[in-house]
């Protein structure tokens, strides 16, 4: 019996340790968005390929010199890609989709309270929204906690996050949708989206979103220059 209990404790600790670093998919997922050696486009990329999003690729080229320092890990789009039709809910439980934000540049962020890097990142995202949020830009932070729905909001209140609107997806369908197109490797995950719903770039892992490097990138995406 003692051996069984000890084994259960160890197993639980391992699961907890993994949870701290987010959700990780198979290593092969990383190649889902790259053309094959024969030049064909993988299904994951083809699923959201959209020639009308070429403008986001061109914008990414102008932003590229700014993606440095605190935002050096930002991967800018090299092909015209539209975001999947992500669906989630607001603080009142009302259904929301990315279409509801059309006309704004977005920083879509997936996070969870059990993800330590996510928790550390939230104040910076809140500061970014407070600084640049408005008619042209918004941080859309989507919580993926699957259990106690009150816990995420309680956490945000506890750390003083007040500028971010609360969005949730306890079924994690947003993560699954992004993973299906090669963008859901773990938490946190952030995607920079233009006013037409096209991907400008994405970043896997945390970043200092309130820093000068991030502000320069977001301002450039908004068309306000560096």
């Amino acid at each position: 019996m003692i051996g069984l209990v000890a084994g259960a404790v160890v197993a639980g600790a391992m699961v907890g340790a993994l949870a701290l670093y987010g959700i990780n998919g198979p290593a092969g997922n990383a190649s889902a968005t790259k053309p094959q050696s024969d030049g064909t486009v993988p299904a994951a990329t083809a699923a959201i390929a959209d020639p009308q999003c070429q403008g986001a690729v061109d914008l990414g080229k102008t932003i590229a010199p700014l993606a440095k320092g605190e935002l050096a890990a930002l991967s800018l789009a090299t092909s015209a890609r539209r975001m999947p039709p992500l669906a989630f809910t607001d603080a009142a439980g009302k259904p929301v989709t990315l279409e509801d934000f059309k006309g704004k540049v977005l920083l879509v962020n997936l996070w969870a309270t059990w993800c330590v890097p996510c928790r550390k990142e939230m104040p910076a995202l809140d500061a970014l929204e407070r600084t640049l949020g408005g008619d042209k830009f918004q941080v859309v932070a989507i919580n993926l906690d699957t259990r106690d729905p009150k816990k995420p909001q309680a956490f945000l209140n506890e750390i003083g996050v007040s500028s971010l609107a609360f969005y949730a997806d306890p079924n994690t369908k947003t993560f699954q949708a992004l993973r299906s197109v090669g963008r859901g490797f773990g938490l946190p995950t952030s995607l920079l989206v233009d006013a037409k719903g096209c991907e400008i770039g994405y970043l896997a892992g945390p970043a200092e979103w309130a820093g000068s490097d991030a502000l320069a990138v977001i301002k450039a995406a908004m068309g306000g220059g560096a």
Side-chain angles (χ1 to χ4, degrees):
M1 179 61 72
I2 294 176
L4 289 174
V5 172
V9 170
V10 172
M14 290 177 65
V15 172
L18 288 172
L20 294 178
Y21 295 95
I23 304 170
N24 293 310
N29 281 357
S31 64
T33 61
K34 298 178 181 179
Q36 305 289 0
S37 58
D38 62 359
T40 59
V41 179
T45 302
I48 56 172
D50 187 339
Q52 294 184 10
C53 289
Q54 182 58 42
V57 178
D58 297 337
L59 179 57
K61 292 177 182 178
T62 66
I63 291 175
L66 303 175
K68 59 186 179 181
E70 299 161 350
L71 236 63
L74 179 67
S75 297
L76 296 163
T78 56
S79 59
R81 298 163 53 94
R82 185 167 296 280
M83 287 285 289
L86 306 183
F88 38 99
T89 61
D90 64 13
K94 178 183 176 182
V96 181
T97 70
L98 283 190
E99 277 291 312
D100 296 320
F101 302 92
K102 203 164 186 179
K104 290 184 179 183
V105 171
L106 304 176
L107 181 67
V108 179
N109 176 271
L110 302 186
W111 71 283
T113 59
W114 48 258
C115 165
V116 172
C118 301
R119 293 168 68 95
K120 292 181 178 179
E121 187 178 51
M122 297 315 293
L125 289 168
D126 188 54
L128 173 61
E129 175 63 21
R130 186 166 56 251
T131 302
L132 295 181
D135 294 338
K136 294 184 178 181
F137 172 74
Q138 184 171 342
V139 176
V140 180
I142 307 170
N143 176 262
L144 302 185
D145 281 50
T146 59
R147 296 184 179 179
D148 186 357
K150 296 181 180 180
K151 183 177 180 180
Q153 293 194 54
F155 164 70
L156 295 178
N157 291 335
E158 179 184 332
I159 63 173
V161 168
S162 58
S163 298
L164 292 178
F166 182 77
Y167 300 106
D169 175 22
N171 295 318
T172 69
K173 290 183 179 179
T174 50
F175 180 84
Q176 295 169 33
L178 290 174
R179 184 175 182 176
S180 72
V181 295
R183 290 294 183 262
F185 305 127
L187 298 183
T189 288
S190 300
L191 296 102
L192 188 58
V193 184
D194 76 2
K196 297 180 181 179
C198 302
E199 179 189 303
I200 300 172
Y202 79 100
L203 192 152
E208 180 46 69
W209 291 108
S212 59
D213 293 321
L215 292 177
V217 166
I218 300 299
K219 287 178 180 179
M222 294 167 61

